[in-house]
Amino acid sequence: MAAPAPSKNTRKALGRLSLPERTFVADALRAETVGGVLLLVAAIAALIWANTLSGSYESVSDFHIGPSALGLDLSIEHWAADGLLAVFFFVAGIELKRELVAGDLRDPKAAVLPVVAALCGMAVPALVYFLVNITGGGSLDGWAVPTATDIAFALAVLAVIGTSLPSSLRAFLLTLAVVDDLFAILIIAIFFTSDINFAALAGAVVGLGVFWLLLRKGVRGWYVYVPLALVIWGLMYNSGIHATIAGVAMGLMLRCTRRDGEEHSPSEHIEHLVRPFSAGLAVPLFALFSAGVAVSGSALTDVFTRPETLGVVLGLVVGKAVGIFGGTWLTARFTRASLSEELAWPDVFAVASLAGIGFTVSLLIGELAFTEDPLLTDEIKAAVLMGSLIAAVLSGVLLKIRNAKYRAMCADEERDDDLDGIPDIYEEDKPEYHLRMAEIYEKKAAEHRRLAEVAGGASDGSSRPA
């Protein structure tokens, strides 16, 4: 009996991207990869500095600067975590707005997969941490530490191992990280806010209202927005809510759609200006003053024996992989989505393992969760570094196994035989493309006939007797 025809409503999970979406993802991931490499360099520099000249590292990190009258007499480490990371979260807010307005999250059907995968990829690591610490009698305060994914660091690992990951999997990783950032922001805002200064919070809300109004009126000029953003950030910091929330809020307010006569939307323009500062300076400096932990044989042993740190490592390595893979499989199993024919489930598991690299936001949450215990904070940081390293090695091995397949898929995506600047894979259903290719083949055939006639003539001449 003939197989039933596929349903019109069947969708391909992790299928080929549209050409505009593919172009956007390629540009975004290229920028993230460069930032990730700088982040990796900064983390290594922090470890070397902290383990060779620990006295100078601590003195620089603890050096205080800022106006105390405004409640901003902060250490360098504090400025990096609360100030510079606000820029990182500002860019994250822009990315989230773009995904909600024009990306995968705009379509509820398409959004189901990354949202469910991200939720499972946060819930399972938290559950792993919870179970380890319930069993071992550890503190439950760090449950949120292994829930975050660092997209820049993950892509830096991809750049180092040279994996030609298909654009569909890269887009899935990017969208997953955007949703992950959203929930990490909510976790920070809800669970790591204690005493609230309502006067400062009201001032921050008023400032955000002015920011939104200026954007709506089309007011231009960095000299207007930068001072206003600094005031909003300072008020948010003094309100007791983590100051990075101000960055997210301002990023979400930017318009992501283009109007008539605009080459770029305001969010595209501002992101283009701010992203290099965020990826090239803000996040690497945060890593430099957050990743510097003392590494010794006993310290590494403690990571695998203390329940809090073991929970972080297992949450990142096991929880992330199982959660994201499980969420993706369940979505494909119980909806009309089916995995693209070009991919296999081991590919999804490899990307899920890659998402276990939790660095920037995990370090930040670790500092917030154990503020009262500096020693445990350093141990949690070491656990984040160890868990991220294990996840990077594991995912690298898994991706390398399928690298030949990925290279073939990428070559197919990039092939442009008709030389019109658009990959052929996006034009195979267009008659114009086939007419161009027929003309190209006819020219090649004519050239081959000419060469054959020349070769045949030369052969006839050489065979005559002298």
Side-chain angles (χ1 to χ4, degrees):
M1 188 173 71
S7 170
K8 292 183 179 180
N9 294 325
T10 299
R11 294 181 297 105
K12 291 298 179 186
L14 306 180
R16 186 181 305 129
L17 304 178
S18 66
L19 184 58
E21 184 71 9
R22 178 180 177 274
T23 302
F24 172 83
V25 167
D27 292 341
L29 293 178
R30 193 176 298 113
E32 291 282 7
T33 301
V34 173
V37 172
L38 293 175
L39 181 61
L40 183 61
V41 171
I44 294 172
L47 289 170
I48 294 173
W49 187 6
N51 286 276
T52 56
L53 299 169
S54 59
S56 66
Y57 182 83
E58 292 174 1
S59 61
V60 173
S61 298
D62 294 337
F63 182 77
H64 279 62
I65 188 173
S68 56
L70 299 178
L72 297 175
D73 182 20
L74 310 177
S75 67
I76 297 296
E77 182 180 1
H78 207 161
W79 275 111
D82 287 63
L84 292 177
L85 274 196
V87 181
F88 166 79
F89 278 104
F90 174 71
V91 175
I94 295 175
E95 292 175 342
L96 177 61
K97 178 70 172 289
R98 190 259 167 199
E99 286 292 331
L100 290 170
V101 172
D104 286 345
L105 301 182
R106 175 185 57 178
D107 180 6
K109 293 181 180 178
V112 169
L113 179 62
V115 169
V116 171
L119 282 173
C120 293
M122 299 185 83
V124 176
L127 179 62
V128 169
Y129 180 93
F130 183 81
L131 292 175
V132 170
N133 282 271
I134 283 290
T135 305
S139 171
L140 300 180
D141 293 342
W143 64 271
V145 176
T147 61
T149 294
D150 194 311
I151 182 64
F153 221 137
L155 291 171
V157 171
L158 281 179
V160 171
I161 64 176
T163 299
S164 302
L165 201 63
S167 58
S168 58
L169 285 177
R170 288 178 180 265
F172 174 65
L173 185 61
L174 180 62
T175 307
L176 187 76
V178 171
V179 179
D180 194 289
D181 283 343
L182 169 63
F183 289 110
I185 290 160
L186 293 175
I187 287 172
I188 292 171
I190 296 171
F191 296 100
F192 296 102
T193 298
S194 52
D195 299 328
I196 297 180
N197 183 330
F198 288 99
L201 180 59
V205 171
V206 171
L208 289 170
V210 173
F211 188 88
W212 177 82
L213 186 61
L214 292 173
L215 289 172
R216 189 174 179 82
K217 295 295 183 181
V219 176
R220 297 177 180 271
W222 65 267
Y223 46 83
V224 174
Y225 291 102
V226 172
L228 179 58
L230 291 174
V231 170
I232 294 170
W233 176 87
L235 289 168
M236 188 69 75
Y237 175 81
N238 282 284
S239 72
I241 296 176
H242 201 269
T244 53
I245 303 301
V248 177
M250 287 184 279
L252 287 171
M253 290 181 181
L254 294 175
R255 177 167 54 84
C256 293
T257 54
R258 301 178 189 177
R259 293 175 178 170
D260 293 339
E262 286 185 339
E263 186 177 354
H264 301 287
S265 67
S267 67
E268 290 174 319
H269 177 67
I270 294 174
E271 184 180 6
H272 179 73
L273 296 175
V274 177
R275 184 185 285 276
F277 176 79
S278 171
L281 185 65
V283 177
L285 279 178
F286 167 75
L288 183 64
F289 292 108
S290 294
V293 294
V295 178
S296 63
S298 59
L300 294 178
T301 302
D302 289 344
V303 166
F304 295 99
T305 56
R306 183 158 184 166
E308 294 89 350
T309 51
L310 180 60
V312 169
V313 172
L314 292 179
L316 289 171
V317 177
V318 179
K320 274 290 183 182
V322 172
I324 293 173
F325 179 83
T328 306
W329 185 85
L330 288 172
T331 303
R333 174 68 178 81
F334 293 105
T335 68
R336 294 183 180 274
S338 61
L339 192 66
S340 173
E341 294 89 348
E342 300 173 324
L343 301 173
W345 283 110
D347 301 318
V348 180
F349 187 81
V351 172
S353 301
L354 187 64
I357 302 175
F359 189 77
T360 305
V361 181
S362 289
L363 290 175
L364 175 62
I365 294 177
E367 291 180 355
L368 297 174
F370 299 103
T371 305
E372 305 300 325
D373 192 342
L375 179 60
L376 183 53
T377 299
D378 284 345
E379 292 177 345
I380 290 293
K381 289 180 180 180
V384 170
L385 295 175
M386 181 59 67
S388 298
L389 176 61
I390 295 172
V393 172
L394 174 62
S395 59
V397 171
L398 294 175
L399 291 169
K400 275 293 185 183
I401 293 173
R402 294 270 291 172
N403 207 28
K405 174 68 173 177
Y406 297 149
R407 280 198 299 268
M409 291 173 64
C410 285
D412 197 36
E413 288 182 356
E414 297 294 335
R415 185 167 52 83
D416 183 19
D417 291 340
D418 61 344
L419 304 176
D420 66 342
I422 300 175
D424 295 343
I425 204 166
Y426 292 98
E427 299 185 296
E428 290 175 346
D429 59 343
K430 297 179 180 179
E432 300 86 1
Y433 163 76
H434 292 286
L435 288 173
R436 286 195 301 272
M437 290 305 301
E439 184 178 351
I440 290 171
Y441 288 139
E442 286 173 2
K443 289 180 179 179
K444 288 182 178 180
E447 179 65 15
H448 284 300
R449 282 194 295 269
R450 186 187 68 80
L451 292 174
E453 290 172 357
V454 170
S459 176
D460 291 343
S462 64
S463 63
R464 294 173 184 171

